[in-house]
Amino acid sequence: MSKVADLRVAAVQSNIIWQNVDGNLAYLSNLLSPLSGSTDIIVLPEMFSTGFTMNPSVVTANEQEITLLWMKNMAADFSSAVCGSIVFCEKEKYYNRFIWVDENGNYSFYDKQHLFSFAGEHLHYTSGNEKIVIKYKGWRILPQICYDLRFSESSMNVLGHYDILLYVANFPSSRQYAWDHLLIARAIENQSYTIGVNRVGKDGNNHDYGGGSVILSYDGIPLSTAGKEEQIITYSLCFDDQMAFREQFPFLRDIKVFG
């Protein structure tokens, strides 16, 4: 039998107060309170403390540190990993940075590689240049951010080097069909549990977000789904089930890497 325990995931589909770090952290503290002690991973949307802003300087250095401290405190208090992306400034460059903090204060990050040029993200942020795989409780997790979803090579699961594919996003309602179906495609082609966490509400540019957060199985079947309203969905992922499926259908060994 596997020594890897089931992993309880909570996907937080929240509204986001536009460019208001303190307001969002206070709001999320209240929203997340029912999860205390009941989950292993709490996943927040892309830029959960500001919304998808093209004005990164709105986040002060102090607010950046406050957000990191808040994540560490929440992880410790909830005995859970907490993750999501934020505006992050380092060496005078801004990044759309996915932050992962576990209950022991261990910290990992991934900088968004595919910047959304359609909205000018590439003019305000610096793209990342490497993928990371987070190891947690025997599981291997590949974080991705929003626009990364459109590029299959970004999540290519060569020889099954990860177990969970995790997307945090601000994916607008106007492209809801793409969000819904690309997530399913990524789960199927990578034979991986796939989690997509989107936001709801309107941002400061009057863009509407329709949620549709989902936890998918390794064959693309929805296990838990959210509608268009603010909602937290949860599910326990089974490591042995996924490994058995990969052994029965060993497609990952046939992936070809070009270029």
Side-chain angles (χ1 to χ4, degrees):
M1 294 180 64
S2 170
K3 295 182 180 179
V4 180
D6 290 356
L7 198 70
R8 186 76 171 173
V9 177
V12 182
Q13 179 172 282
S14 63
N15 197 353
I16 301 174
I17 306 167
W18 185 244
Q19 299 184 162
N20 186 334
V21 173
D22 289 341
N24 282 306
L25 298 185
Y27 184 74
L28 286 168
S29 294
N30 181 64
L31 183 66
L32 300 181
S33 58
L35 295 175
S36 182
S38 66
T39 190
D40 296 302
I41 303 176
I42 297 171
V43 188
L44 304 171
E46 177 185 24
M47 293 194 182
F48 65 83
S49 63
T50 58
F52 188 57
T53 177
M54 294 301 102
N55 182 22
S57 62
V58 72
V59 179
T60 67
N62 185 54
E63 287 174 326
Q64 179 172 300
E65 292 306 310
I66 287 172
T67 303
L68 293 176
L69 180 60
W70 177 86
M71 294 181 76
K72 290 179 180 179
N73 289 339
M74 293 294 284
D77 291 346
F78 284 35
S79 298
S80 170
V82 176
C83 60
S85 98
I86 64 173
V87 175
F88 197 93
C89 184
E90 185 174 73
K91 296 180 180 178
E92 299 183 350
K93 293 182 179 179
Y94 288 102
Y95 298 88
N96 185 344
R97 178 166 289 183
F98 174 94
I99 303 287
W100 170 282
V101 181
D102 71 16
E103 60 271 29
N104 298 314
N106 297 314
Y107 173 101
S108 300
F109 70 89
Y110 160 75
D111 291 328
K112 187 177 183 180
Q113 290 185 290
H114 296 94
L115 299 180
F116 191 44
S117 57
F118 186 73
E121 187 179 13
H122 65 300
L123 302 176
H124 306 282
Y125 296 88
T126 299
S127 64
N129 57 16
E130 62 180 287
K131 294 193 291 186
I132 68 162
V133 174
I134 297 165
K135 295 180 180 179
Y136 184 66
K137 296 189 174 182
W139 294 76
R140 300 164 299 171
I141 303 162
L142 180 74
Q144 299 275 274
I145 303 175
C146 204
Y147 194 43
D148 288 332
L149 177 61
R150 287 187 175 269
F151 305 95
S152 59
E153 73 278 6
S154 183
S155 59
M156 194 175 292
N157 198 9
V158 180
L159 298 178
H161 72 284
Y162 66 80
D163 310 305
I164 299 172
L165 179 55
L166 176 58
Y167 289 96
V168 299
N170 276 203
F171 226 90
S173 298
S174 58
R175 289 181 286 280
Q176 193 72 40
Y177 185 88
W179 167 258
D180 294 340
H181 291 80
L182 286 171
L183 283 168
I184 293 171
R186 298 293 164 262
I188 293 171
E189 69 193 9
N190 293 300
Q191 293 186 299
S192 175
Y193 285 115
T194 300
I195 302 164
V197 182
N198 197 18
R199 65 159 295 183
V200 294
K202 287 185 181 292
D203 68 14
N205 296 314
N206 207 37
H207 296 310
D208 182 70
Y209 298 88
S213 298
V214 65
I215 300 172
L216 299 166
S217 72
Y218 37 79
D219 54 356
I221 304 300
L223 302 172
S224 186
T225 59
K228 298 181 179 180
E229 304 301 323
E230 190 167 74
Q231 186 178 356
I232 299 175
I233 58 173
T234 61
Y235 199 85
S236 287
L237 311 182
C238 178
F239 188 87
D240 289 345
D241 286 353
Q242 178 164 263
M243 291 304 106
F245 182 80
R246 289 180 179 179
E247 289 176 9
Q248 183 179 4
F249 303 104
F251 304 145
L252 297 178
R253 69 186 182 190
D254 296 326
I255 291 176
K256 298 289 191 296
V257 181
F258 300 96

